[in-house]
Amino acid sequence: VVVEAMSGEPWHPFVMWTIEQGYFGLENLALIPGYVGGAPVQNIGAYGVEIKASCERVIAVDVTDGSERSFTREQCAFGYRDSVFKQVDAENPRDRFVITRVQFRLSRRFTPQLSYGDIQNELAAMQVPTAEVRARDVANAVIAIRSRKLPDPAVIGNAGSFFKNPIVENSVAEQIKENFPDLRPYKFGEKSKIAAGWLIDKCGWKGKRIGATGVHAEHALVLVNYGGATGAEIWSLAQAIRADVQAKFGISLDAEPRVV
């Protein structure tokens, strides 16, 4: 089934609505803050699922001439936390396209995506047998995990995960693992994805506070504004973290939110 949503719809209520209607595919993306229109820009993802798997079409206005543009999934050029809407070049200046609505191709048949251990553990704690899991169970598990680990931006200022998980050669991951046996890289082909939060934690930043800025105590990937911090101060904190990770592991972290 193809569902079209306007870009200003809050994301989490939209996800829960699709589940109630019996349309499946977005349940792993529950409780991500933001709006429908922002989902394809970032190619948001969580717990083994990314928007690119269900995004059918994105409709936007080209601000250079006011025309309406329609982007297929392929034309969106989805990548890891990336899309054509984030890419800037001579042909596509920043903010050229304003997304107005998004179409999602969902399924009436539920196929659980349970590859992440956190979800499996949460379902076990909820006493939900794997063979009987429903989409609402997966969403509830994700909501519980995110509520414990991530601060609510309505309560304490944050932009969610601030850094992308770096992708490195397998040899680099294996070399790090020799010195840090608790590293759990995700291997695919000749590459490995390393948790940026793990790198930051190993550099001693988890829970550290500098003035009105800091790193969340429960999730090292989240930078927080305790109140009154400027954007420059948050960026200064981010740069200090990047420098430490580079010095300790030889890995450069890229910011996930767009910084202007």
Side-chain angles (χ1 to χ4, degrees), residues 165-186:
N165 293 321
I167 297 174
V168 300
E169 299 291 335
N170 286 337
S171 58
V172 173
E174 290 165 3
Q175 185 175 4
I176 294 174
K177 192 172 178 63
E178 288 181 4
N179 297 320
F180 299 90
D182 59 328
L183 175 65
R184 298 290 183 268
Y186 174 74

Side-chain angles (χ1 to χ4, degrees), residues 194-208:
I194 296 178
W198 182 90
L199 296 170
I200 295 168
D201 189 12
K202 289 298 180 182
C203 289
W205 281 98
K206 189 175 182 179
K208 190 172 182 178

Side-chain angles (χ1 to χ4, degrees), residues 140-163:
N140 286 341
V142 169
I143 290 168
I145 296 168
R146 294 183 69 90
S147 297
R148 282 198 308 269
K149 296 174 65 174
L150 300 170
D152 184 346
V155 177
I156 182 170
N158 73 93
S161 299
F162 196 88
F163 295 104

